Amino acid sequence: MEIGFYLMITIIFTGLILLAAFDIYRKSEIKLADIQLQRDKLALEHKQLEKLTQD
């Protein structure tokens, strides 16, 4: 009976660790996409400014 209890606790604990790792990975992917979007936005604004100054 004790082995089953410890096995259940181990499975739950491992699941929580995997869930936390997945959440951290997902948040880092979202942050990376946001940074790339901001970089692209700045590049577009820079191109538009260059085009305006050339005219």
Side-chain angles (χ1 to χ4, degrees):
M1 176 135 171
E2 287 184 26
I3 294 175
F5 175 73
Y6 289 125
L7 183 62
M8 181 182 70
I9 295 297
T10 303
I11 291 171
I12 291 172
F13 188 68
T14 304
L16 288 175
I17 290 173
L18 290 174
L19 184 64
F22 177 72
D23 190 48
I24 290 169
Y25 171 75
R26 186 177 54 86
K27 285 181 182 178
S28 68
E29 288 292 316
I30 291 171
K31 185 137 183 133
L32 191 64
D34 187 42
I35 290 170
Q36 289 174 341
L37 183 64
Q38 289 177 4
R39 185 185 66 200
D40 292 344
K41 182 180 172 185
L42 285 174
L44 181 61
E45 289 175 358
H46 184 52
K47 268 187 179 177
Q48 288 175 344
L49 284 175
E50 282 182 350
K51 190 174 183 181
L52 286 174
T53 56
Q54 288 176 357
D55 291 340

